[in-house]
Amino acid sequence: MPVYAPVDGSRLAGALAEIPPVRDRLGGDAASWRIREVGDGNLNLVFIVEGPAGGVVVKQALPYVRLVGESWPLPLERSWFEYSALVEQARHAPGLTPEVFHFDRAQALIVMEYLSPHVRKGLIRAVEYPRFADDIAIFLAATLFNTSVLAGTAAEHKARVELFAANVALCRITEDLVFTDPYREAPLNRWTRPWLDGQKRAFERDSALKVAAQARKHQFMTGAQALIHGDLHTGSIMLTPQDTRVIDPEFAFVGPIGFDVGAVIGNLLLAFFAQEGHEAAPGARDAYREWILLQAQDVWSGFHERFLALWRQARAGDAYPAGLFASEEDRLTMDKERARFMRVLFEDTLAFAGAKMIRRILGLAHVEDLEAIADPERRARCEAKALRLARDLLVDAKDFSGLADVADAARAIGRG
Ligand code: SR1
Ligand code: MG
């Protein structure tokens, strides 16, 4: 097996020409292929290769965290978990993930569809995507339901848990960066100083908040409900008005369902608060702000509806086996139980959303929506508001009756 080596851009065309599905996808002569390294993420090398017939993306794991450097080693095997998750997600949510043409485990390298003209920063430019909420709700319901014991057997679930349980290092990143570091003095934390100094210190002293974050960390570490994407921020969603694709599931493992749903909702709420930093005049982006809140509501309601529909139709799940509930009374009782289950998922979703928002403002890795606000004082105003709602979501998720209630709270804080 060839020894791992980071891709050398000047030799990439020759190597790709040896892989028939990739060569066919690109077409023409390898010498004419256009290659550029575009990795703007936190972890990996990413090349776009374009030929006369089409394009591919070559994503290769580096043996360290790109954002920080070689001082933070990271296993190459994350590429295997990403590939395995892409394959599984494509089975359940066809058309909503990039097509994979080739995987090389030794080189930690995936060759996949180049998604063009898709973008992932449209929310910063106030672009509306008519398919966003529906497609993401379908992705969430299909991938999360179908990889749980509501849909499959205990044996299948345990095999899935076993495969992804080895993704220890990436889970550790989340455990530290999402649930712990924002609440303590960690060397890599950063926030918009000096404006957020007070809120940062207050969060470090906020017992209720720290306990809520740790309760969710415990759930993250032990709640093996379904195969989750694990890093479903809006930067992991490639969009055009007609098409939606979910990328980058290298943080995948069998974890709590609400973590993925909460990631989407939390990142939409960050985009909501960021609008104030991007608008040309106060109120100029009011309509867009409302569009974002509508997406958050539609993602939740679409997910809720579809997850329940899948559950009602399910016949093979080892949990709540369908054969046990045959009478009319059984059916009514199961409907109540499903409603209870979904309410728990709702509270999980809000709490995880809050945790994800806080880590993007007080922790190591931030989001472009806020980072792109050049004036730090203006950015801090947006971030301070986002932190207020995030705290409420994480500590008091049970007090919210629905996403409309969350939207009202966001509007009220946004006006303040
Ligand atoms: C050290 S990696 C920082 C972050 O980048 C990824 O996108 C994940 O969100 C991770 O937490
Ligand atoms: Mg990523």
Side-chain angles (χ1 to χ4, degrees):
M1 196 187 287
V3 177
Y4 168 87
V7 164
D8 170 352
S10 66
R11 296 184 182 182
L12 185 56
L16 295 179
E18 302 292 313
I19 307 166
V22 177
R23 189 177 60 223
D24 295 348
R25 173 81 180 184
L26 292 164
D29 181 7
S32 70
W33 295 345
R34 207 162 73 88
I35 299 179
R36 59 208 148 101
E37 207 278 317
V38 294
D40 62 352
N42 295 331
L43 300 178
N44 306 293
L45 281 176
V46 181
F47 294 87
I48 291 173
V49 185
E50 290 176 281
V56 297
V57 163
V58 178
K59 177 173 177 180
Q60 187 185 36
L62 288 164
Y64 54 86
V65 173
R66 184 176 183 164
L67 175 68
V68 175
E70 296 185 29
S71 60
W72 187 341
L74 202 60
L76 297 171
E77 273 296 86
R78 64 185 187 271
S79 186
W80 162 245
F81 301 118
E82 174 165 358
Y83 168 72
S84 304
L86 281 170
V87 169
E88 177 107 27
Q89 289 165 348
R91 280 203 307 126
H92 305 302
L96 293 176
T97 56
E99 190 181 341
V100 174
F101 301 119
H102 178 72
F103 174 60
D104 183 331
R105 193 166 176 175
Q107 297 304 321
L109 180 148
I110 304 171
V111 185
M112 64 191 117
E113 186 180 3
Y114 171 39
L115 297 168
S116 172
H118 298 64
V119 293
R120 50 184 186 169
K121 294 180 182 165
L123 301 189
I124 302 170
R125 288 182 286 109
V127 181
E128 293 187 10
Y129 294 97
R131 293 222 46 79
F132 176 90
D134 251 18
D135 283 347
I136 292 301
I138 292 169
F139 177 86
L140 290 167
T143 59
L144 297 170
F145 182 84
N146 286 307
T147 60
S148 77
V149 278
L150 298 174
T153 66
E156 288 162 352
H157 195 67
K158 284 169 172 39
R160 199 177 286 117
V161 170
E162 184 185 14
L163 193 163
F164 287 95
N167 203 4
V168 175
L170 283 265
C171 286
R172 178 71 198 264
I173 288 179
T174 303
E175 289 150 17
D176 290 343
L177 266 53
V178 175
F179 297 107
T180 306
D181 286 355
Y183 308 96
R184 67 179 173 191
E185 281 182 29
L188 295 174
N189 279 344
R190 62 190 182 86
W191 59 92
T192 308
R193 295 169 190 258
W195 296 278
L196 296 185
D197 287 355
Q199 246 168 325
K200 172 73 173 81
R201 271 195 303 274
F203 276 23
E204 285 173 15
R205 289 194 298 258
D206 188 336
S207 311
L209 179 61
K210 288 188 287 184
V211 165
Q214 290 310 302
R216 294 302 172 176
K217 179 180 180 181
H218 180 263
Q219 184 181 9
F220 179 83
M221 294 191 291
T222 60
Q225 286 183 308
L227 176 63
I228 66 171
H229 177 285
D231 195 25
L232 197 39
H233 54 90
T234 38
S236 297
I237 303 174
M238 303 287 288
L239 294 161
T240 72
Q242 298 80 27
D243 193 53
T244 310
R245 306 295 183 93
V246 176
I247 62 169
D248 287 354
E250 62 216 297
F251 284 77
F253 79 113
V254 180
I257 289 171
F259 189 79
D260 271 3
V261 190
V264 175
I265 304 282
N267 278 271
L268 285 170
L269 292 169
L270 287 177
F272 169 86
F273 287 109
Q275 297 308 312
E276 188 182 334
H278 297 296
E279 62 194 351
R285 289 205 179 185
D286 279 353
Y288 193 63
R289 263 188 277 274
E290 282 305 310
W291 181 83
I292 293 176
L293 291 181
L294 189 62
Q295 303 318 296
Q297 293 170 83
D298 287 353
V299 165
W300 171 258
S301 60
F303 163 75
H304 179 270
E305 199 177 292
R306 288 181 175 89
F307 193 95
L308 276 178
L310 289 167
W311 194 353
R312 288 197 193 98
Q313 291 155 18
R315 291 288 165 267
D318 267 354
Y320 304 94
L324 209 60
F325 303 102
S327 72
E328 189 51 27
E329 189 187 343
D330 285 343
R331 272 190 282 276
L332 291 173
T333 311
M334 263 309 288
D335 273 347
K336 282 194 198 134
E337 172 60 5
R338 289 192 189 98
R340 184 201 64 77
F341 186 98
M342 296 310 288
R343 174 68 207 181
V344 174
L345 277 193
F346 174 75
E347 291 176 21
D348 293 351
T349 293
L350 296 195
F352 284 124
K356 300 282 265 182
M357 292 166 74
I358 292 169
R359 65 80 52 112
R360 295 294 186 194
I361 298 172
L362 301 181
L364 164 68
H366 290 215
V367 282
E368 188 67 15
D369 308 65
L370 291 161
E371 292 297 283
I373 304 168
D375 174 355
E377 192 168 359
R378 194 172 179 192
R379 180 167 71 245
R381 268 200 303 277
C382 301
E383 292 173 331
K385 290 177 181 180
L387 286 175
R388 279 175 56 198
L389 180 63
R391 185 196 179 279
D392 288 350
L393 295 176
L394 179 47
V395 176
D396 295 321
K398 63 182 181 330
D399 295 344
F400 290 89
S401 60
L403 244 299
D405 204 9
V406 175
D408 284 344
R411 281 186 203 99
I413 292 173
R415 278 191 299 270

